[in-house]
Amino acid sequence: MREKRERREREEREKKEREREMAEASPSARQLVLSAVRQSGWALEDAPACLRDDVEIVLEAVRQSPGALQFAGATAKNSPLVILEAVRQDGSLLRYASEALKEDAQIVLEAVSQDGGALQHAGQALRAQREIVRAAVKQGASALEYTCITICDDPSFLNEAVIQIGKMAKSELRLMHEVIVLRAVARDGKMLEHAGWVLQNNPQIVLEAVKQSGVALKYASVQCQGDRTIVLEAVRQKGDALKYASENFGNDAGIMFEAVRHDGLMLRFASEAIRNNSEIVLQAVRRSAGALEHAGRTPQSNRDIVLAAVRRDGKMLRFASYALKNDAYIVSEAVSNSAGALQYAGEAPKNDQQIVLRVVEQDGNMLRHAGMTLRDDLEIVLRAVKQNGCALHYAGTASQNDWQVVLAAVKQDGRMLRYASEAFKNDSEIVLEAVRQNGGALQHASEALKNDSEIVLEAVKQTGGALIHASDALLDHREIVLEAVRNDGEMLSIAAESLRDEPEIVRAAVAQSGYALRHASKRLRSDLSIVQEAIRESDYALRYALLSPG
């Protein structure tokens, strides 16, 4: 109490002394000092003590030379205007501010935004304020030394801190920096990427990172990437982390088992011995069927392993042994999963009627992989073309000449008329079904049927462009041409000249395609109602009109 009373009395005496000195200072002396500090702020050092408390003089001094703040009196050091001006230029000058202003959030924020190390001069409360600490840390990780460690619970702050720590030299790192990085990677292992090479070589930090995210192993030092404990934890968290290990762990059964348990395809990094380890390979294919590709010959001949693989992906039959490719049960399981697996089956299953029937019901095109005998099996071929008309292309000669098969094929895909025999291309019932499904199939019909008005009419109803495959004689057929231009106005271009002068036909054509106006007769190109119809479909049709100026 006595000390406080004495300090107050001393401060009071000093205040009165300053007031007396200020009163005694002549206006000319003040003006002289003001002029001097405007030239060089450092002149404040030689100014009378009373004028070093003059806020206007000190403000001018720090504008010229921020460091001149150190020579200011207590009153000036307690002026927010003076201190703000100083710390905006040099944040470290916060150390000269009064204790009160070191607790001012605005001033401290300005200071640490200019120099993160200024945080050490801030008041205790502000060193734990997130906005201020974050601003300081953005300027450099050294600010972390002066902050409250509890702020490390803020994830966004942690990430920013790690990035700044990663820029620090080894000699600058402290225990608290390791603690912060440790907390950061425990939340997000991939933050190890920003920790810097020193801490990326810290086994404790790397181990914590890979426990959270196995792929963090990618950012560890080569030494840590070769540490078995670290690699084991990484692959336990994420199997494909194995690809970042620096040492060859392909012959380590423990690590490989953990790796394939999470990602079967990691078997590709295994040694020959491990690839022939049935227990590990079975674990791998249960996770990823594609692992069978990387297995050794022994597991590829193991019935249980191959079954596990093809049940997940039938096409893995490709990597089974010759014997298992001829195993009817295994092939049956494979094609149940994927019809395409038939292509990898042995000759016996490809000639198994039940297996092939199951396949073509899923994908008729797989008839291409059936045995030659079954490609002429009427039941199989019929099911195939009903599922996919294209299967006709792969059918045997006898099947391609079967009326029932060809009819079923063109009903599914009219274009398959191209693979039919000449006799069927001249069969009106087959061709009629083909053009009903795809008008373009008319091109594969016989010349006689291209002149059949009923067939051609059906074709253009389905596809207006089919008119180009009709006989020349039918280009003068009013009903056919009308139907064609309704679907494709451009077909007016091949219509008989007389029909291009037919208002109903031309109107239908331009309604479908305004450009068709250019194919109309000159008379109808000057018909206002037809031109208007064409323009409604396309503005560009106007260029083909032949309208008189009047």
Side-chain angles (χ1 to χ4, degrees), residues 141-194:
S142 60
L144 291 167
E145 190 175 344
Y146 311 113
T147 186
C148 176
I149 196 66
T150 56
I151 202 169
C152 293
D153 294 329
D154 185 334
S156 62
F157 167 79
L158 276 175
N159 293 347
E160 184 62 43
V162 171
I163 291 171
Q164 295 301 328
I165 290 171
K167 299 174 183 177
M168 296 178 73
K170 183 177 181 179
S171 60
E172 299 176 308
L173 291 172
R174 301 287 182 271
L175 178 61
M176 72 169 300
H177 299 138
E178 293 184 21
V179 171
I180 289 172
V181 173
L182 198 60
R183 292 192 182 188
V185 298
R187 289 176 178 271
D188 181 358
K190 291 189 286 296
M191 285 306 298
L192 183 65
E193 177 183 3
H194 307 288

Side-chain angles (χ1 to χ4, degrees), residues 36 48 205 239 284 298 333 348 413 420 528 550:
I205 289 175
T298 300
E333 289 293 307
D413 188 340
L528 183 60

Side-chain angles (χ1 to χ4, degrees), residues 41-62:
W42 295 108
L44 185 65
E45 180 180 5
D46 302 314
C50 63
L51 295 181
R52 281 186 269 158
D53 261 323
D54 186 305
V55 172
E56 183 183 2
I57 289 175
V58 176
L59 189 59
E60 287 295 331
V62 297

Side-chain angles (χ1 to χ4, degrees), residues 5-174:
R5 184 170 60 255
E6 290 176 349
R7 186 171 64 250
R8 281 199 301 271
E9 290 174 352
R10 184 170 61 254
E11 288 174 352
E12 188 63 32
R13 286 195 302 272
E14 290 174 352
K15 182 179 179 181
K16 288 180 178 179
E17 181 63 24
R18 284 196 300 271
E19 289 175 350
R20 184 184 64 77
E21 290 178 351
M22 291 283 282
E24 292 175 354
S26 65
S28 59
R30 185 178 184 279
Q31 192 61 41
L32 186 65
V33 172
L34 190 59
S35 178
V37 297
R38 282 174 176 164
Q39 290 295 316
S40 173
W42 295 108
L44 185 65
E45 180 180 5
D46 302 314
C50 63
L51 295 181
R52 281 186 269 158
D53 261 323
D54 186 305
V55 172
E56 183 183 2
I57 289 175
V58 176
L59 189 59
E60 287 295 331
V62 297
R63 280 174 180 163
Q64 282 297 318
S65 307
L69 179 65
Q70 62 187 292
F71 306 117
T75 301
K77 289 178 179 177
N78 196 42
S79 168
L81 283 175
V82 170
I83 300 302
L84 269 175
E85 182 63 37
V87 299
R88 279 172 180 162
Q89 298 181 67
D90 184 348
S92 68
L93 295 176
L94 181 65
R95 64 181 179 272
Y96 297 117
S98 67
E99 293 303 316
L101 295 186
K102 287 179 181 178
E103 297 287 351
D104 186 298
Q106 181 186 359
I107 289 174
V108 173
L109 185 59
E110 287 287 345
V112 300
S113 295
Q114 200 284 323
D115 181 350
L119 188 64
Q120 63 184 297
H121 307 299
Q124 186 68 28
L126 296 184
R127 284 194 240 168
Q129 193 175 102
R130 279 172 167 72
E131 182 184 5
I132 289 174
V133 173
R134 190 176 291 112
V137 172
K138 281 184 178 179
Q139 293 302 311
S142 60
L144 291 167
E145 190 175 344
Y146 311 113
T147 186
C148 176
I149 196 66
T150 56
I151 202 169
C152 293
D153 294 329
D154 185 334
S156 62
F157 167 79
L158 276 175
N159 293 347
E160 184 62 43
V162 171
I163 291 171
Q164 295 301 328
I165 290 171
K167 299 174 183 177
M168 296 178 73
K170 183 177 181 179
S171 60
E172 299 176 308
L173 291 172
R174 301 287 182 271

Side-chain angles (χ1 to χ4, degrees), residues 104-347:
D104 186 298
Q106 181 186 359
I107 289 174
V108 173
L109 185 59
E110 287 287 345
V112 300
S113 295
Q114 200 284 323
D115 181 350
L119 188 64
Q120 63 184 297
H121 307 299
Q124 186 68 28
L126 296 184
R127 284 194 240 168
Q129 193 175 102
R130 279 172 167 72
E131 182 184 5
I132 289 174
V133 173
R134 190 176 291 112
V137 172
K138 281 184 178 179
Q139 293 302 311
S142 60
L144 291 167
E145 190 175 344
Y146 311 113
T147 186
C148 176
I149 196 66
T150 56
I151 202 169
C152 293
D153 294 329
D154 185 334
S156 62
F157 167 79
L158 276 175
N159 293 347
E160 184 62 43
V162 171
I163 291 171
Q164 295 301 328
I165 290 171
K167 299 174 183 177
M168 296 178 73
K170 183 177 181 179
S171 60
E172 299 176 308
L173 291 172
R174 301 287 182 271
L175 178 61
M176 72 169 300
H177 299 138
E178 293 184 21
V179 171
I180 289 172
V181 173
L182 198 60
R183 292 192 182 188
V185 298
R187 289 176 178 271
D188 181 358
K190 291 189 286 296
M191 285 306 298
L192 183 65
E193 177 183 3
H194 307 288
W197 68 272
V198 176
L199 299 183
Q200 287 169 346
N201 194 41
N202 183 310
Q204 183 184 6
I205 289 175
V206 174
L207 187 60
E208 196 65 36
V210 299
K211 282 180 179 178
Q212 199 284 325
S213 173
V215 296
L217 186 63
K218 176 180 179 180
Y219 309 113
S221 67
V222 173
Q223 184 178 340
C224 288
Q225 288 175 343
D227 185 301
R228 187 182 187 278
T229 302
I230 290 173
V231 173
L232 185 59
E233 284 298 332
V235 298
R236 278 176 177 162
Q237 205 284 324
K238 191 168 181 60
D240 67 358
L242 184 64
K243 62 189 177 187
Y244 302 119
S246 63
E247 297 295 328
N248 182 12
F249 291 100
N251 202 37
D252 188 312
I255 286 180
M256 289 308 307
F257 186 84
E258 288 295 333
V260 301
R261 192 166 66 87
H262 290 280
D263 185 347
L265 294 179
M266 290 300 102
L267 188 64
R268 68 182 183 273
F269 295 109
S271 66
E272 189 63 28
I274 297 295
R275 292 185 188 202
N276 278 288
N277 182 311
S278 295
E279 181 183 1
I280 291 177
V281 174
L282 182 59
Q283 187 70 38
V285 298
R286 282 175 175 168
R287 188 67 181 177
S288 307
L292 188 62
E293 177 182 357
H294 308 293
R297 290 187 178 181
T298 300
Q300 288 178 344
S301 300
N302 183 300
R303 204 164 187 272
D304 291 336
I305 290 175
V306 173
L307 266 175
V310 300
R311 281 171 175 165
R312 290 181 64 87
D313 184 349
K315 290 182 180 178
M316 289 303 104
L317 182 63
R318 174 183 181 182
F319 304 107
S321 66
Y322 176 82
L324 295 183
K325 285 179 179 179
N326 279 286
D327 184 305
Y329 181 71
I330 286 179
V331 174
S332 180
E333 289 293 307
V335 299
S336 292
N337 175 274
S338 173
L342 183 64
Q343 63 188 298
Y344 305 116
E347 287 303 310

Side-chain angles (χ1 to χ4, degrees), residues 501-532:
D501 193 46
E502 170 66 52
E504 184 183 0
I505 290 176
V506 172
R507 199 181 303 279
V510 299
Q512 199 282 325
S513 171
Y515 287 97
L517 183 63
R518 69 186 188 275
H519 306 303
S521 66
K522 289 183 178 180
R523 181 177 73 88
L524 296 184
R525 285 167 66 188
S526 60
D527 184 298
L528 183 60
S529 63
I530 288 178
V531 171
Q532 287 176 332

